């Protein structure tokens, strides 16, 4: 028989030997499992992002390239435009890729019998899914940074390139001043300010054929100018070749008219984002443009749609946690023979969550619900249902 002294002296069982490799025997197997699960998920996630992103870019090239070639766009602008599209796709692409990669990696573990072996060893669902929760947290933090920094600037620059190419083509076709945005009428309730512009060029922050109505005490004053240019450094507009009309009591009959060649308009609170933003759909504006529009146009009845879109973008990172709550119980809560059933059940549940989000977003944009409630209610419902499923299978 082997004595206890021989066991203690054996280097395989000694405490110092366990510490020498960096982990104790108790935690080393669990940590190795976490690393293995995370690595298997990461491989599939990377392939999914690359494949779907490639298809989206091919579709965009197919749709946009003929227009750029017809307008004889420079090659550097053409390449930069398609490159800048990538960050704009990622906020909506990453949650879908995370769901698919999570389900495929879990299905692979199921098919190989590894999940059964891990659960039979007494490892709980939470300990088994720690790698996935870590992945969801990292992706959520990355998407917060992406939404707040890289994606807005990329979206704005890609659309600016497209507008510049269009405007240059229009300028070459006719001597008449033309632009891609025409016949703008925007009211700014915070300053009781009304703008009309026949043509607006976003590429140069220029408006042509403008009429601006501003309050002045109990009266109003109207500025009409052939051209208005916005200065970012001075934060004001410069009007050229126009007249100033005093309207006593807000009547439509001017009491006086003063002509001018050029003047700076410092009374206006209008910005290019507001002037251009209301001519665009909420989903076509970046996060920064939406924030500027909301802050400057507070009180406008049309602003609810833009505020709902803004909050929806901010809530996007939380989709990763909803994905984990949905995918894990569906993929691991059924037997091995029914693994495919769990896969499709998770897909349908995520589609239901997506439809619920779209429904509440539409309700917020049409002012049926407050914007905050419309943006966060789908997440509250999905989280409550996911936690119930998660605890049931824990």
């Amino acid at each position: 028989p082997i004595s206890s002294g021989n066991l203690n002296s054996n280097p395989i069982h000694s405490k110092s030997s366990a510490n020498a490799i960096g982990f104790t025997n108790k935690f080393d197997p669990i940590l190795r499992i976490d690393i293995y699960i995370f690595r298997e998920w990461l491989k599939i996630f990377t392939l999914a992002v690359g494949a779907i992103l490639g298809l989206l870019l091919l579709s965009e090239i197919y749709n946009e390239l003929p227009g750029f070639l017809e307008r004889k766009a420079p090659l550097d602008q053409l390449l930069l435009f398609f490159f800048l599209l990538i960050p704009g796709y990622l906020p909506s692409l990453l949650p879908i890729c995370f769901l698919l990669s999570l389900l495929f990696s879990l299905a692979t573990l199921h098919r190989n019998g590894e999940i059964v072996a891990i659960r039979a060893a007494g490892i709980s669902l939470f300990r088994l899914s720690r790698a996935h929760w870590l992945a969801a947290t990292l992706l959520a933090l990355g998407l917060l940074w992406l939404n707040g920094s890289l994606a807005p600037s990329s979206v704005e620059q890609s659309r600016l390139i497209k507008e510049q190419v269009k405007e240059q083509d229009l300028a070459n076709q006719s001597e008449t001043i033309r632009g891609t945005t025409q016949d703008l009428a925007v009211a700014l309730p915070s300053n009781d300010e009304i703008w009309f512009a026949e043509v607006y060029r976003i590429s140069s922050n220029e408006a042509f054929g403008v009429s601006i109505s501003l309050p002045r005490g109990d009266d109003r004053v109207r500025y009409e100018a052939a051209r208005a240019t916005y200065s970012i450094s001075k934060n004001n507009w410069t009007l050229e070749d126009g007249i100033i009309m005093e309207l006593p009591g807000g009547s439509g009959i001017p009491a006086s008219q003063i002509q001018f060649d050029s003047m700076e308009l410092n009374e206006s609170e209008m910005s290019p984002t507001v002037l251009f933003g209301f001519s665009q759909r909420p989903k076509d504006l970046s996060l920064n443009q939406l924030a500027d529009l909301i802050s400057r146009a507070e009180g406008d009845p049309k602003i609810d749609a833009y505020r709902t879109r803004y909050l929806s973008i901010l809530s996007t990172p939380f989709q990763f946690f909803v994905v984990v709550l949905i995918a894990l119980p569906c993929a691991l809560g059924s037997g091995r023979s029914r693994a495919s059933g769990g896969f499709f059940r998770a897909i349908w549940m995520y589609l239901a969550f997506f439809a619920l989000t779209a429904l509440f977003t539409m309700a917020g944009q049409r002012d049926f619900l407050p914007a905050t409630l419309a943006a966060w209610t789908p997440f509250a419902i999905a989280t409550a249902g996911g936690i119930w499923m998660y605890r049931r299978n824990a």
Side-chain angles (χ1 to χ4, degrees):
I2 302 174
S3 65
S4 58
N6 290 334
L7 281 174
N8 292 331
S9 62
N10 190 330
I12 297 178
H13 296 280
S14 65
K15 186 175 182 179
S16 60
S17 175
N19 290 332
I21 62 174
F23 310 103
T24 64
N25 288 333
K26 180 178 179 181
F27 294 102
D28 182 37
I30 299 177
L31 184 58
R32 288 178 182 274
I33 291 173
D34 290 337
I35 295 173
Y36 173 72
I37 292 175
F38 186 87
R39 187 175 62 245
E40 292 299 310
W41 162 80
L42 185 59
K43 289 189 295 185
I44 300 176
F45 176 76
T46 304
L47 290 173
V49 172
I52 298 179
L53 187 60
L55 291 174
L56 290 174
L57 283 176
L58 285 175
S59 174
E60 201 68 42
I61 291 172
Y62 178 80
N63 293 327
E64 298 291 346
L65 186 59
F68 278 100
L69 295 178
E70 183 180 351
R71 297 183 177 97
K72 300 179 181 179
L75 180 61
D76 57 339
Q77 281 190 319
L78 184 63
L79 296 177
L80 182 59
F81 172 77
F82 290 113
F83 178 76
L84 290 172
L85 291 178
I86 296 176
Y89 282 137
L90 291 179
S92 56
L93 176 66
L94 290 180
I96 300 294
C97 291
F98 182 55
L99 173 66
L100 295 176
S101 62
L102 188 59
L103 291 173
F104 273 107
S105 62
L106 290 173
T108 301
L109 294 175
H110 239 307
R111 185 172 60 252
N112 296 335
E114 293 166 302
I115 295 295
V116 176
I118 293 172
R119 296 298 298 272
I123 297 178
S124 65
L125 180 59
F126 176 77
R127 289 171 64 186
L128 173 63
S129 61
R130 284 189 307 183
H132 300 129
W133 287 110
L134 175 62
T137 303
L138 293 176
L139 287 172
L141 292 175
L143 192 52
L144 280 173
W145 170 79
L146 190 67
N147 283 336
S149 178
L150 182 59
S153 60
S154 297
V155 170
E156 292 166 18
Q157 290 179 44
S158 64
R159 288 174 181 162
L160 182 59
I161 290 174
K162 190 174 181 179
E163 293 294 323
Q164 288 174 336
V165 171
K166 287 182 179 180
E167 290 168 2
Q168 183 62 41
D169 182 59
L170 290 172
N172 294 334
Q173 291 179 13
S174 173
E175 295 182 358
T176 304
I177 297 175
R178 299 173 65 185
T180 55
T181 306
Q182 300 183 22
D183 300 328
L184 290 178
V186 179
L188 202 60
S190 61
N191 196 35
D192 194 16
E193 184 175 350
I194 302 173
W195 276 63
F196 295 95
E198 294 180 8
V199 175
Y200 181 72
R201 290 181 174 177
I202 187 175
S203 61
S204 55
N205 289 332
E206 292 177 296
F208 299 89
V210 298
S211 176
I212 307 162
S213 178
L214 288 165
R216 182 175 291 176
D218 295 331
D219 304 329
R220 295 191 71 84
V221 60
R222 180 186 300 165
Y223 300 87
E224 293 188 357
R227 176 182 174 184
T229 306
Y230 187 79
S231 172
I232 298 177
S233 59
K234 296 181 180 180
N235 196 28
N236 65 8
W237 294 88
T238 298
L239 306 183
E240 300 176 13
D241 190 16
I243 59 174
I244 305 173
M245 294 180 286
E246 298 283 346
L247 305 176
S251 65
I253 302 175
S256 63
Q257 297 186 16
I258 303 174
Q259 291 186 340
F260 63 87
D261 294 327
S262 179
M263 65 164 289
E264 291 187 356
L265 183 63
N266 296 313
E267 305 170 69
S268 174
E269 294 182 4
M270 183 67 68
S271 72
T273 302
V274 177
L275 188 60
F276 175 74
F278 277 124
S279 68
Q280 304 295 306
R281 297 174 299 177
K283 69 177 185 178
D284 292 332
L285 298 177
S286 71
L287 188 70
N288 292 342
Q289 290 173 327
L290 289 168
D292 188 25
L293 185 62
I294 292 169
S295 64
R296 291 177 180 269
E298 189 67 38
D300 192 295
K302 295 183 294 184
I303 204 63
D304 289 330
Y306 297 89
R307 183 181 290 108
T308 302
R309 172 61 180 169
Y310 176 77
L311 294 175
S312 297
I313 294 176
L314 292 180
S315 64
T316 301
F318 293 90
Q319 286 193 32
F320 296 112
F321 301 105
V322 172
V323 166
V324 176
L325 287 173
I326 290 175
L328 281 172
C330 290
L332 303 181
S334 60
R336 182 174 178 178
S337 61
R338 295 191 297 167
S340 60
F343 179 92
F344 289 107
R345 185 161 59 251
I347 295 294
W348 281 110
M349 290 183 67
Y350 185 79
L351 290 176
F353 166 73
F354 186 82
L356 189 67
T357 301
L359 180 64
F360 273 84
T361 299
M362 183 177 62
Q365 291 178 344
R366 298 189 178 183
D367 204 20
F368 294 147
L369 289 174
T372 304
L373 192 64
W376 291 104
T377 299
F379 288 92
I381 295 174
T383 300
I387 291 175
W388 176 78
M389 293 174 57
Y390 194 87
R391 295 186 63 181
R392 184 183 177 189
N393 292 278

